[in-house]
Amino acid sequence: MCLCGLSPHSHRRTIDLGRINQGIVLRNIVVFGSVNANRRHYRLAASALAKADPTWLGRLITREVHITEFADALTPRDNDIKTVLTMARAH
């Protein structure tokens, strides 16, 4: 299931979230979301990142894990901010 948008607040429904959660877990269903932005917002974000201090940006990535050890990346550590999966081995 991919959650790509938000419903209006005024649109109310009664659903059994426990039953939905149970079905997702027992059937090994993947749920993920996506945040979409229009072109103007994308350009504004790209411009802001281009102007940002690279050392500050670099400090946001606190851990790199090779793809073959992806399970380690899923275990949070105390100082993690952003853990990334890499394809190349570190030198």
Side-chain angles (χ1 to χ4, degrees), residues 56-75:
W56 174 82
L57 290 173
R59 287 194 310 266
L60 293 178
I61 298 174
T62 52
R63 193 159 54 108
E64 294 183 15
V65 177
H66 191 266
I67 191 80
T68 59
E69 299 179 23
F70 70 92
D72 183 47
L74 300 175
T75 305

Side-chain angles (χ1 to χ4, degrees), residues 64-68 84-91:
E64 294 183 15
V65 177
H66 191 266
I67 191 80
T68 59
V84 297
L85 293 175
T86 61
M87 302 299 252
R89 289 277 181 201
H91 296 91

Side-chain angles (χ1 to χ4, degrees), residues 14-55:
T14 302
I15 57 173
D16 184 348
L17 291 177
R19 179 177 236 164
I20 292 170
N21 186 48
Q22 185 180 40
I24 289 170
V25 171
L26 294 177
R27 293 185 186 107
N28 285 330
I29 296 172
V30 174
V31 178
F32 64 97
S34 174
V35 176
N36 299 306
N38 64 36
R39 188 174 298 215
R40 182 176 67 84
H41 291 136
Y42 179 83
R43 286 186 177 148
L44 287 170
S47 176
L49 286 172
K51 293 174 187 171
D53 176 4
T55 57

